[in-house]
């Protein structure tokens, strides 16, 4: 968090903790963030917000996802700051504010070219008028989200989105609203562009010590940034559930996709695709045992995998295994697993099953 605070300076910080704190465990992340100089968390849903409150988060909660009209009472009950982009939500929130005699802080999402959530320029006057109708609604923020700021080293489209954001924010002011906070900066924006930071920043992946992408890392380094400002905070471990020796020509796992070319020692590990160890890692990934690489043999099953420990001496039942993270001189990074699985590190970490116990060390 020191890195994030350093990049944010005096601006407010909303750490994105959606998707079970990017797989790190919402409860654990909340307990860490409570000890930090962080003003907001950003969640996807009111359900995540309810969990965060139950885990003791008593500061601001920005809800960046959708809250169904029928669930909006939660905004009052849990003291949330929802993101709004349609008049139906605004009207319902306005009525709830009136009924409860409370002020609701809302954040208006502006469409700048991601074409996900957000109010298009042509609808902005109508939506602004709807907000102004309700004295109980306070425009706490205006926001947008970049489409490809982490996907490329060419940031023309991000610049275009930023210009659009500035134009739309000016329009919101012309329509008589005065937002306290402007916010656009995800991790890549926070790392690369001062102009995107405004009064509040919303980093996710970088708060967990991961780069949003290779392109972001490259752009950051080309700007003269240092090599080691981020370091991953998660290690994912399991342990050996069985050890066996199979003869040459033995098949391993479903589909008989692996066949031993010589006598092979296998360790069976109690982790599979249900746990978030992607099936595409079959016959491709390796795990770390005693600081050495043990290749995955055969297909990843629902709850089990088999790894080759022929060349790793002294492996015993219940030997610790690193699936993701560092073990002595070796490392399996979320980026490496993402490359194997043809996806992004975000997906690898956020899909680690919520049932697996998390422990803060
Ligand atoms: C609206 C919004 N803001 C901020 C973030 C954080 O993005 P990142 O993890 O790239 O920092 C996300 C994540 O997807 C998001 O959806």
């Amino acid at each position: 968090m020191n890195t994030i605070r350093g990049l944010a300076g005096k601006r407010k910080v909303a750490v994105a903790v959606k998707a079970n704190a990017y797989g790190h465990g919402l409860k654990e992340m909340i307990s860490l963030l409570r000890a930090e100089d962080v003003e907001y968390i950003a969640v996807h849903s009111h359900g995540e917000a309810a969990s965060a409150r139950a885990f003791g988060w008593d500061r601001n909660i920005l809800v960046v996802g959708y809250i169904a009209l029928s669930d909006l009472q939660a905004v009052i009950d849990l003291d949330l700051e929802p993101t709004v982009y349609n008049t139906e939500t605004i009207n319902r929130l306005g009525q709830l504010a009136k009924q409860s005699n409370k002020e609701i802080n809302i954040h208006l999402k502006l469409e700048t070219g991601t074409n996900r959530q957000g109010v298009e320029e042509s609808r902005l006057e109508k939506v602004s008028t709807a907000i102004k109708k309700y004295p109980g609604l306070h425009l706490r923020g205006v926001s947008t989200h970049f489409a490809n700021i982490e996907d490329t080293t060419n940031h023309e489209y991000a610049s275009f989105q930023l210009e659009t954001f500035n134009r739309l924010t000016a329009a919101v002011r012309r329509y008589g609203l005065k937002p306290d906070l402007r916010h656009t900066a995800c991790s890549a924006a926070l790392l690369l562009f001062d102009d995107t930071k405004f009064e509040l920043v919303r980093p996710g992946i970088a708060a967990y010590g991961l780069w949003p992408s290779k392109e972001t890392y490259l752009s950051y380094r080309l700007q003269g940034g240092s090599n080691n400002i981020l370091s991953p905070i998660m290690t994912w471990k399991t342990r050996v559930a069985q050890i066996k020796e199979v003869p040459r020509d033995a098949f391993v796992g479903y589909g008989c996709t692996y066949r031993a070319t010589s006598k092979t020692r296998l360790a069976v590990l109690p982790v599979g695709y249900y746990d978030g160890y992607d099936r595409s890692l079959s016959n491709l990934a390796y795990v770390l045992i005693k600081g050495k690489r043990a290749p995955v043999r055969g297909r990843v099953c629902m709850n089990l995998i088999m790894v080759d420990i022929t060349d790793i001496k002294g492996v015993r039942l219940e030997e610790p295994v690193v699936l993701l993270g560092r073990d002595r001189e070796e490392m399996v990074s979320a980026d490496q697993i993402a490359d194997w699985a043809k996806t992004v590190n975000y997906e690898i970490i956020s899909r680690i099953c919520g049932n697996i116990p998390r422990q803060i060390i």
Side-chain angles (χ1 to χ4, degrees):
M1 280 310 298
N2 286 349
T3 298
I4 301 292
R5 182 41 74 195
L7 291 163
K10 291 203 175 348
R11 299 165 185 93
K12 293 185 193 305
V13 174
V15 175
V17 296
K18 57 191 197 164
N20 198 24
Y22 285 44
H24 289 65
L26 182 62
K27 184 176 180 191
E28 290 72 18
M29 197 62 188
I30 293 287
S31 77
L32 293 174
L33 290 175
R34 286 177 68 193
E36 300 284 344
D37 178 18
V38 166
E39 292 83 1
Y40 275 85
I41 54 169
V43 300
H44 171 68
S45 63
H46 71 286
E48 289 179 343
S51 302
R53 288 285 185 233
F55 297 143
W57 183 258
D58 56 6
R59 301 176 213 164
N60 306 304
I61 300 185
L62 170 67
V63 183
V64 293
Y66 176 65
I67 307 179
L69 298 175
S70 54
D71 290 328
L72 283 171
Q73 177 64 37
V75 168
I76 306 255
D77 297 344
L78 297 166
D79 190 15
L80 310 180
E81 300 186 18
T83 301
V84 300
Y85 36 84
N86 60 43
T87 47
E88 292 85 345
T89 303
I90 292 164
N91 289 334
R92 179 84 190 109
L93 285 171
Q95 288 152 10
L96 288 171
K98 195 168 170 196
Q99 280 163 24
S100 60
N101 206 18
K102 289 205 168 125
E103 187 170 76
I104 298 179
N105 285 312
I106 58 171
H107 296 251
L108 181 63
K109 188 101 178 235
L110 303 174
E111 182 53 73
T112 61
T114 301
N115 288 314
R116 197 167 76 168
Q117 301 152 304
V119 180
E120 307 89 310
E121 195 160 10
S122 57
R123 289 176 54 235
L124 204 48
E125 184 165 10
K126 190 171 166 212
V127 170
S128 302
T129 307
I131 295 172
K132 279 195 301 182
K133 232 169 62 186
Y134 298 100
L137 296 185
H138 174 70
L139 188 60
R140 180 79 173 131
V142 284
S143 66
T144 198
H145 194 51
F146 293 107
N148 72 343
I149 200 160
E150 56 273 300
D151 287 317
T152 172
T153 52
N154 173 352
H155 293 108
E156 265 173 51
Y157 197 66
S159 302
F160 160 78
Q161 286 194 270
L162 190 58
E163 269 171 44
T164 309
F165 177 75
N166 286 330
R167 188 176 71 248
L168 267 54
T169 301
V172 168
R173 289 193 174 123
R174 263 202 321 280
Y175 299 138
L177 292 165
K178 294 191 185 68
D180 305 324
L181 308 170
R182 293 166 291 173
H183 48 104
T184 71
C186 57
S187 297
L190 177 64
L191 285 154
L192 299 176
F193 298 107
D194 278 346
D195 288 357
T196 65
K197 295 183 188 175
F198 298 106
E199 293 81 32
L200 170 73
V201 296
R202 299 187 314 258
I205 197 96
Y208 305 94
L210 293 169
W211 287 90
S213 63
K214 291 189 181 82
E215 289 78 4
T216 307
Y217 175 72
L218 193 60
S219 302
Y220 184 77
R221 295 284 278 150
L222 286 170
Q223 287 181 11
S226 71
N227 192 17
N228 50 7
I229 55 159
L230 297 177
S231 81
I233 63 171
M234 174 159 52
T235 303
W236 183 13
K237 287 185 175 176
T238 186
R239 52 172 72 124
V240 172
Q242 190 186 358
I243 296 172
K244 62 174 54 170
E245 209 157 76
V246 297
R248 183 180 154 180
D249 288 339
F251 294 112
V252 179
Y254 284 129
C256 300
T257 60
Y258 185 80
R259 191 164 201 184
T261 52
S262 57
K263 194 166 82 173
T264 299
R265 248 167 98 74
L266 293 174
V268 182
L269 311 180
V271 64
Y273 55 78
Y274 168 72
D275 302 292
Y277 199 82
D278 200 89
R279 193 165 176 272
S280 64
L281 301 173
S282 302
N283 286 312
L284 190 60
Y286 55 78
V287 303
L288 302 177
I289 304 181
K290 288 182 172 295
K292 300 221 158 42
R293 298 179 184 196
V296 173
R297 299 301 193 206
R299 283 196 189 143
V300 172
C301 314
M302 191 182 285
N303 302 108
L304 295 164
I305 56 172
M306 285 69 79
V307 299
D308 192 332
I309 52 164
T310 310
D311 297 322
I312 309 176
K313 300 288 162 256
V315 178
R316 298 191 181 170
L317 184 68
E318 307 229 324
E319 188 83 39
V321 179
V322 171
L323 302 164
L324 188 170
R326 180 171 286 287
D327 187 3
R328 290 156 241 201
E329 299 305 306
E330 282 282 0
M331 164 105 176
V332 188
S333 65
D335 304 297
Q336 172 67 76
I337 298 177
D339 273 355
W340 282 324
K342 296 192 170 49
T343 182
V344 288
N345 52 11
Y346 293 76
E347 186 177 348
I348 297 302
I349 55 172
S350 66
R351 290 183 62 199
I352 297 175
C353 188
N355 294 343
I356 298 171
R358 269 72 171 167
Q359 202 181 347
I360 299 173
I361 294 172

